[in-house]
Amino acid sequence: HYQARGWFNSEGLIEVAGPADVADASAVLDEVGKRAAEWRADAEAIGMVGVSYGGGLALLGAAHDARVKCAASLSGWGNLTRALAGQAAPNQVWFDILMSTSILVGRPDPQIHAMWESLVSAVVDPAANVDPLLAWAEERSPEAFAAKMCGRRLPVLVSNNAQDELFVSDAALMLRQTLHGAGCRVQLLINQGVHAMAELPSLAGIGGLVAHQPVWDETLRFMQAHLRPSKEPPPAGAQQREGGHP
């Protein structure tokens, strides 16, 4: 069982999918390789899937480790600066929610708050030095590693929700364009719902109590198609699905 560092009982600090998190993802793959026979795992057919925080980490992990053969980001991000301050408007409400959650169930790196203050200051004072902020955000932005991912034509599934005000669907379209332009094979889904609500009920085991969540059907088909060569890959492009309908 893996938990991202800093969250719940995991060691370390929450670093927002920083280099230490990416190294952890590779360490998980090392363990899979060592115990493949015991776990009946195929170490040559590895895919990464994540929701929200895990969505960004799935793409970053895939970018930095060629053992990952395909990746799916569900309600994740492509560009961290754009996600937190699209159109030069810092999203204070969502930042407060994220910080409150991280303090409640984890241990956030103090640098996160410092970077946020730097972002807000830059909006007020255009002359402020934002180089440290941009460098911090870039190494946590999958878009920055598009060439690394797409140089090996990595299949990528990007799924975001139409009413998401944290990682907005327009940003998902931009991520799709960036990855596609760099040579990745990209499938894009736009679902009904707010942040992560097209995914979380089923992930939490209560999918039967709400409308059917087809995003998981699509994710499974995507993984099977790209990790099992006998399967026909799903078509690249964009799809929009209504909540509750397969």
Side-chain angles (χ1 to χ4, degrees):
H1 179 65
Y2 166 73
Q3 290 175 341
R5 66 172 48 228
W7 291 98
F8 298 98
N9 296 321
S10 189
E11 64 183 19
L13 298 175
I14 297 170
E15 298 183 3
V16 192
D21 290 293
V22 174
D24 288 345
S26 287
V28 170
L29 300 190
D30 292 341
E31 191 68 16
V32 171
K34 291 175 185 176
R35 305 181 69 172
E38 175 188 350
W39 290 347
R40 297 182 181 179
D42 184 353
E44 299 300 316
I46 293 176
M48 280 190 172
V49 182
V51 177
S52 190
Y53 189 96
L57 186 53
L59 294 187
L60 289 165
H64 289 85
D65 199 316
R67 289 175 292 182
V68 180
K69 300 301 189 294
C70 61
S73 172
L74 314 181
S75 286
W77 72 90
N79 182 300
L80 192 58
T81 303
R82 186 189 303 136
L84 294 178
Q87 300 182 9
N91 195 331
Q92 185 70 54
V93 173
W94 269 106
F95 178 78
D96 289 344
I97 291 173
L98 293 172
M99 284 302 296
S100 298
T101 302
S102 66
I103 291 170
L104 180 64
V105 297
R107 297 168 305 283
D109 187 336
Q111 189 180 36
I112 298 173
H113 196 274
M115 288 296 132
W116 177 258
E117 290 299 320
S118 176
L119 177 62
V120 173
S121 297
V123 174
V124 177
D125 178 11
N129 179 17
V130 295
D131 289 346
L133 166 65
L134 295 177
W136 181 86
E138 183 175 25
E139 68 180 352
R140 291 162 171 80
S141 297
E143 282 186 13
F145 303 99
K148 202 168 185 178
M149 270 189 282
C150 304
R152 64 183 199 271
R153 290 186 56 78
L154 183 78
V156 176
L157 171 64
V158 175
S159 177
N160 286 74
N161 301 332
Q163 289 79 39
D164 192 339
E165 295 184 2
L166 174 58
F167 302 140
V168 299
S169 55
D170 284 355
L173 295 170
M174 295 178 192
L175 174 59
R176 188 262 174 191
Q177 289 298 98
T178 298
L179 296 180
H180 177 73
C184 280
R185 293 171 286 172
V186 187
Q187 181 180 356
L188 173 67
L189 303 177
I190 301 296
N191 315 288
Q192 294 296 318
V194 297
H195 181 65
M197 286 311 295
E199 305 91 5
L200 285 183
S202 292
L203 192 64
I206 59 173
L209 302 180
V210 298
H212 177 63
Q213 296 188 291
V215 64
W216 288 111
D217 297 335
E218 290 293 340
T219 302
L220 181 59
R221 277 195 285 267
F222 174 84
M223 288 287 163
Q224 288 176 331
H226 292 292
L227 297 178
R228 297 180 179 179
S230 60
K231 299 287 185 179
E232 181 180 352
Q239 300 177 42
Q240 180 170 354
R241 292 183 172 273
E242 301 290 334
H245 296 283

